[in-house]
């Protein structure tokens, strides 16, 4: 690892430490750790690379808590559909994915996340067509090439259309096969060390594509192996109706009965929870990945983020699958999370710094990494985003956090992940963006042709 110090000097620094310090000053990274944080000019470091941070805002790198990377190759389809209609349209296309298409899509989606301030990404991959190669490995390779800190969930589905579920038979797996493959992925890939760039999550897809037996067995496996658990829950009223019809309960009642609550669990979306359920989530410290753009795109509703946070449930941000959020921009989710919370609860429901916390500290907490990432502090990992706020779009906004959250997405001057530059001057430097764009277009054309 290159241990040349990187000194960011003259920026406004939002630390998000315990005292929430904000100041104009410096941050120094050496190797993969932050070694100095303070107001005023930086001390001299022999041989250091010095970044002029004047006109910029320095924040922790963002944490994306929910994504489906493979969907980057299937954007722009079923653009006016509800969730269930969207899924039934897209499943025949997704049935054709392979390791090559997943690798290309994952690289492209992760590069876009990096361009929008994301240093840590959680992905939920649950489509494994028969006879496909190791699709999880294809994603992991892509994350390594982009340079992203990665938390992929080995997802699964075992409830197909013939069993009353939504996915076609060709993309579901046998329960024993799923559990064996998930455990093998943990054994091969999961790195629990404090510097970890890769941690595996157990992630059955949803109540309408997974049997209760698999949900229960998956929870037992995750806790036996000491890894976290993730699934979709309470995303739409259709899902609520499905759970009442099939299980005689709400989605959360069903999940809780199967062992799916606790500080090692987080749900994607979590829109349709009542007051008692929000209190239950808070007591159990169960997390929620809030995906405002995707929820709006599918007309699913607005999650009660302010109520969830007040109850004690950590709420992170996610871009969701690129087929239901074609932008895939994590910085845009800050603005949308803020605006939607206020549309639901009034102008004081969520403030700009709370939105920034959701993208950083809360996301880190959901992934069990709050001791390592999510704030700018000495000893933490050097995952840092430097935003340029002196251009026409933001100049004159006195509060730099308000400029970042409420303004248009600003240029990203620098993104460090584990102390390594991934974005410089608003361009990803670890992969070729132009070449990726060509590859994505080819992959989508091929998938659509296969699906007829």
């Amino acid at each position: 690892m290159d241990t040349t110090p990187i000194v960011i000097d003259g920026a406004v620094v939002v630390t998000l430490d315990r005292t929430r310090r904000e100041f104009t000053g410096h941050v120094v990274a050496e190797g993969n750790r932050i070694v100095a944080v303070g107001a005023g000019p930086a001390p001299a470091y022999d041989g250091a690379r010095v970044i002029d941070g004047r006109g910029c805002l320095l924040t922790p790198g963002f944490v994306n808590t929910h994504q489906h990377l493979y969907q980057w190759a299937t954007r722009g389809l079923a653009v006016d559909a509800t969730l269930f209609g969207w899924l039934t349209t897209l499943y025949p296309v997704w049935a054709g994915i392979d390791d090559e298409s997943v690798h290309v899509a994952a690289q492209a989606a992760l590069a876009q996340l990096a361009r929008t301030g994301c240093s840590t990404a959680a992905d939920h991959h649950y489509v494994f067509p028969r006879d496909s190669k190791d699709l999880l490995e294809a994603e992991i390779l892509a994350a390594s090439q982009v340079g992203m800190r990665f938390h992929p969930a080995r997802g699964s589905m075992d409830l197909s259309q013939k069993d009353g579920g939504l996915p076609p038979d060709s993309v579901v797996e046998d329960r024993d096969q799923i559990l064996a493959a998930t455990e093998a992925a943990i054994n091969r890939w999961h790195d629990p060390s404090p510097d970890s760039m890769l941690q595996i999550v157990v992630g059955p897809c949803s109540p309408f594509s997974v049997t209760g037996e698999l949900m229960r067995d998956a929870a037992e496996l995750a806790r036996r192996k000491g890894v976290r658990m993730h699934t979709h829950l309470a995303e739409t009223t259709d899902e609520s109706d499905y759970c009442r019809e099939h299980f005689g309960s709400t989605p959360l009642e069903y999940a809780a009965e199967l062992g799916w609550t606790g500080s090692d669990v987080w749900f994607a979306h979590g829109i349709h929870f009542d007051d008692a359920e929000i209190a239950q989530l808070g007591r159990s410290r169960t997390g929620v990945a809030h995906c405002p753009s995707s929820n709006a795109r599918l007309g699913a509703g607005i999650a009660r983020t302010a109520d969830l946070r007040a109850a004690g449930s950590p709420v992170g941000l996610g871009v969701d699958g690129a087929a239901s959020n074609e932008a895939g921009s994590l910085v845009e989710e800050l603005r949308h999370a803020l605006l939607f919370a206020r549309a639901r609860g009034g102008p004081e429901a969520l403030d700009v710094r709370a939105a920034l916390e959701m993208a950083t500290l809360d996301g880190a907490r959901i992934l069990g990494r709050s001791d390592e990432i999510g704030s700018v502090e000495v000893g933490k990992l050097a995952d840092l985003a430097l935003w340029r706020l002196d251009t026409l779009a933001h100049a004159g906004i006195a509060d730099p956090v308000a400029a970042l959250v409420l303004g248009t997405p600003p240029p990203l001057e620098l993104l460090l992940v584990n102390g390594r530059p991934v974005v410089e001057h608003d361009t990803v430097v670890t992969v070729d963006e132009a070449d990726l764009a060509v590859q994505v277009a080819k992959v989508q054309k091929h998938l659509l042709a296969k699906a007829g």
Side-chain angles (χ1 to χ4, degrees), residues 1-8 29 31-32 49 51 114-115 118-119 144-148 197 382-386 412-431:
M1 175 179 291
D2 186 359
T3 58
T4 301
I6 296 178
V7 179
I8 302 171
N32 68 347
R49 178 186 176 188
I51 307 293
R115 291 186 86 257
C118 180
S119 54
S144 175
Q145 291 166 330
V146 174
M148 189 76 72
M197 291 290 289
D383 291 5
L384 302 167
L386 185 66
L412 185 60
E413 186 69 15
L414 178 71
L415 179 71
L416 295 182
V417 183
N418 212 43
R420 177 191 181 196
V422 173
V423 176
E424 297 194 58
H425 309 303
D426 216 29
T427 300
V428 179
V429 296
T430 51
V431 294

Side-chain angles (χ1 to χ4, degrees), residues 124-126 153-156 182 201-205 228-231 260:
H124 189 189
H125 188 88
Y126 54 86
R154 204 298 179 180
S156 54
T182 303
V201 177
V202 173
C205 183
R228 300 181 94 75
M229 301 154 55
H230 181 52
T231 191
W260 277 77

Side-chain angles (χ1 to χ4, degrees), residues 157-370:
M157 298 187 292
D158 70 336
L159 190 65
S160 70
Q161 289 173 344
K162 66 179 175 56
D163 303 312
L166 284 182
D169 296 346
S170 62
V171 297
V172 301
E173 302 171 280
D174 174 79
R175 177 162 41 114
D176 291 339
Q177 176 188 2
I178 290 167
L179 294 169
T182 303
E183 184 161 8
I186 297 168
N187 292 340
R188 180 181 181 189
W189 299 110
H190 184 71
D191 176 10
S193 71
D195 291 9
S196 176
M197 291 290 289
L198 178 62
Q199 295 193 357
I200 302 299
V201 177
V202 173
C205 183
S206 66
F208 47 84
S209 57
V210 173
T211 61
E213 292 81 4
L214 176 57
M215 289 285 286
R216 197 186 307 276
D217 289 348
E220 188 279 329
L221 169 63
R223 289 182 171 128
R224 175 166 55 84
K225 302 296 288 188
V227 302
R228 300 181 94 75
M229 301 154 55
H230 181 52
T231 191
H232 297 87
L233 202 76
E235 183 177 0
T236 67
T237 55
D238 287 341
E239 179 189 333
S240 298
D241 293 342
Y242 180 94
C243 287
R244 287 192 184 92
E245 179 183 346
H246 288 80
F247 314 125
S249 62
T250 68
L252 181 59
E253 288 170 342
Y254 176 67
E257 183 181 342
L258 297 171
W260 277 77
T261 56
S263 60
D264 57 349
V265 177
W266 85 100
F267 299 131
H269 307 298
I271 298 170
H272 300 283
F273 293 133
D274 62 24
D275 291 346
E277 291 177 321
I278 287 174
Q280 178 184 353
L281 291 167
R283 286 192 302 272
S284 62
R285 298 297 186 260
T286 306
V288 172
H290 178 41
C291 305
S293 297
S294 174
N295 296 159
R297 202 271 211 189
L298 293 170
I302 301 174
R304 296 172 59 183
T305 52
D307 295 334
L308 285 161
R309 297 181 85 242
S313 176
V315 180
L317 295 180
V319 300
D320 200 12
S324 63
N325 175 4
E326 280 72 8
S329 166
L330 194 52
V331 70
E332 290 186 21
E333 300 305 321
L334 275 75
R335 185 169 189 260
H336 293 164
L338 179 79
L339 297 180
F340 292 176
R342 292 183 179 188
R344 180 171 194 130
E348 297 181 351
L350 195 71
D351 63 46
V352 293
R353 282 164 176 77
L356 183 59
E357 287 182 9
M358 290 167 67
T360 53
L361 282 171
D362 288 348
R365 183 179 164 199
I366 279 173
L367 298 183
R369 305 295 298 271
S370 57

Side-chain angles (χ1 to χ4, degrees), residues 58-76:
L58 184 70
T59 69
F62 293 166
V63 179
N64 181 36
T65 58
H66 184 67
Q67 166 70 303
H68 306 295
L69 295 172
Y70 75 95
Q71 292 182 14
W72 193 264
T74 61
R75 292 180 297 160

